Amino acid sequence: MTKLTKSDILGIGTSVPERVLTNFDLEKMVDTNDEWIRTRTGIRERRIIDDDENVSDLAARAARAAVADAGLSMEEIDLVLVASGSPEMIWPSTACLVQEKLGIKGCPAFDIQAACAGFVYGLAVADSFVSSGLYRRILFIGAEAMTRFLDWTDRGTCILFGDGAGAVVLGQAEESYGLLSHYLAADGSGADMLKIPAGGSGVSGERGAQTIHMRGNEVYKFAVKKLPAAVAGALEQAGMTVADVDYCVPHQANKRIIDAAVERLGLPREKVVGNLEQYGNTSTASIPLSLEKLVRSGDLKRGDIVVTAAVGAGLTWGANVIRWSGAAGGTG
Ligand code: UT7
């Protein structure tokens, strides 16, 4: 029988488009204002993918940085996974498109769809593959071109989202380090609250359907409850409590959701890491973008306990607990 091992983050890399869209730019496009957006969401600006780029380009750039950070070559990757709420097309998967851009031949590649909770779900999937011994080195990317799915006349959604990508390489962990636990959940009865109705086989060509439709207030209330529940669930599975947490890396949807969740958990605000001001809601990319920021800050130390958490369309939610080894970003 294959020995069960834990997996660890061996490398991390990110990529964001250069074009910045500020709240003041949005004031000229739709009936909104900087003050409303900042106080209701915490967002000041977001990045917008160039017309001549696709989500697989952002993903490939983040992936190259992560593989280099892990000190590996592309030939050593034996599975490519992509989580995206804005995949390039229905199929082939964005993972296959990225695999080709990276010049990796033959290894399996597929996408994971759990909307904004995709990174949390994907870490669990990748960890299971490493633990089972099926794959040794997994490249996992959260990548988004969310702005391609925005209705720029809908002020309830177009102010929220941005584009970007974050990638990690997962491989075998040292004893007691790496990914310690996962908590994943879904409730399909909330499917209607947040969706992109067209683009699949369900609705054909309905005008305006291929954009994000959101009942913001309901999603907000759901997220405020489920984000802390996910953190608590993953900590319980790791045999830990909130007092053990050194850093919390929540999905960046709305500053008020994060503040409420943190307060419910009794987590000190200085332990919470984010990038909402700068990037807005980058869906599956928001956690790796924040994690990379934490890694580069130099604050993260070997042995620190990091908790990620997210809520997304589906509805989906979940969290992961990691004991940081320092393998990624030279932080050990
Ligand atoms: O990644 C996971 C998925 N997404 C989320 O987690 C998002 C969850 N939801 C939210 O973040 C919030 O619900 C929003 C930021 C989308 C909206 O904030 P809110 O505090 O729930 O506002 P609201 O929808 O209750 O609207 C309050 C007022 C309304 O005006 P009236 O009816 O009170 O006169 C809206 O029409 O604010 C108005 N409003 C705006 N005003 C200026 C809504 N959007 C805007 C806007 N600019 N962009």
Side-chain angles (χ1 to χ4, degrees):
M1 205 177 88
T2 315
K3 183 175 166 290
L4 283 179
T5 56
K6 273 202 284 292
S7 75
D8 191 17
I9 297 177
L10 306 181
I12 187 162
T14 60
S15 164
V16 290
E18 277 182 17
R19 189 176 152 211
V20 175
L21 188 77
T22 67
N23 292 347
F24 296 105
D25 296 327
L26 277 165
E27 283 182 3
K28 295 175 203 135
M29 296 162 66
V30 68
D31 181 15
T32 191
N33 59 79
D34 171 62
E35 210 254 330
W36 191 97
I37 301 173
R38 267 191 300 103
T39 53
R40 296 288 182 124
T41 72
I43 302 166
R44 281 178 191 272
E45 58 186 47
R46 69 287 293 143
R47 299 297 176 96
I48 310 283
I49 193 164
D50 285 343
D51 291 345
D52 60 356
E53 280 211 310
N54 273 313
V55 69
S56 63
D57 297 306
L58 292 179
R61 273 206 293 277
R64 280 189 204 98
V67 172
D69 186 46
L72 297 173
S73 64
M74 289 298 171
E75 296 77 57
E76 291 173 281
I77 298 300
D78 52 15
L79 173 65
V80 179
L81 289 178
V82 171
S84 181
S86 49
E88 203 151 314
M89 42 185 121
I90 293 180
W91 41 262
S93 68
T94 303
C96 283
L97 303 176
V98 175
Q99 190 214 40
E100 157 68 10
K101 284 189 172 146
L102 296 175
I104 302 174
K105 301 266 181 247
C107 82
F110 66 92
D111 284 3
I112 291 167
Q113 180 54 271
C116 293
F119 198 79
V120 164
Y121 266 59
L123 280 184
V125 171
D127 182 40
S128 311
F129 277 132
V130 173
S131 298
S132 71
L134 195 54
Y135 300 111
R136 281 171 50 79
R137 302 260 165 70
I138 299 176
L139 174 59
F140 171 45
I141 311 153
E144 301 294 353
M146 289 304 270
T147 61
R148 296 257 163 95
F149 289 99
L150 291 177
D151 172 354
W152 293 102
T153 67
D154 175 13
R155 66 179 182 172
T157 53
C158 75
I159 55 137
L160 296 174
F161 294 92
D163 303 328
V168 290
V169 176
L170 285 123
Q172 203 172 316
E174 281 175 65
E175 177 95 42
S176 82
Y177 287 93
L179 294 159
L180 302 184
S181 72
H182 310 288
Y183 175 94
L184 305 181
D187 179 359
S189 71
D192 211 41
M193 274 188 219
L194 180 54
K195 61 183 180 181
I196 301 176
S201 58
V203 182
S204 58
E206 196 179 288
R207 196 157 178 264
Q210 206 164 350
T211 53
I212 295 169
H213 288 50
M214 181 173 75
R215 302 209 296 266
N217 227 273
E218 290 171 56
V219 178
Y220 182 94
K221 286 179 192 147
F222 187 83
V224 164
K225 273 192 272 173
K226 294 302 184 188
L227 204 63
V231 170
L235 284 171
E236 191 185 340
Q237 283 180 33
M240 294 181 178
T241 69
V242 168
D244 295 304
V245 176
D246 293 295
Y247 293 102
C248 179
V249 186
H251 167 51
Q252 304 289 291
N254 185 319
K255 185 178 177 298
R256 289 185 297 139
I257 294 174
I258 296 166
D259 288 346
V262 162
E263 196 176 317
R264 259 181 206 223
L265 285 163
L267 197 65
R269 196 68 187 78
E270 61 275 14
K271 293 188 172 180
V272 182
V273 183
N275 53 31
L276 202 53
E277 267 202 21
Q278 202 182 1
Y279 296 143
N281 182 344
T282 54
S283 192
T284 62
S286 83
I287 290 175
L289 281 166
S290 296
L291 187 59
E292 200 242 15
K293 179 175 156 185
L294 176 62
V295 167
R296 305 294 164 212
S297 74
D299 293 338
L300 191 57
K301 300 283 180 297
R302 182 173 163 86
D304 281 351
I305 296 295
V306 178
V307 185
T308 64
V311 173
L315 297 163
T316 51
W317 64 104
N320 322 95
V321 177
I322 306 163
R323 180 173 282 120
W324 195 254
S325 71
T331 46

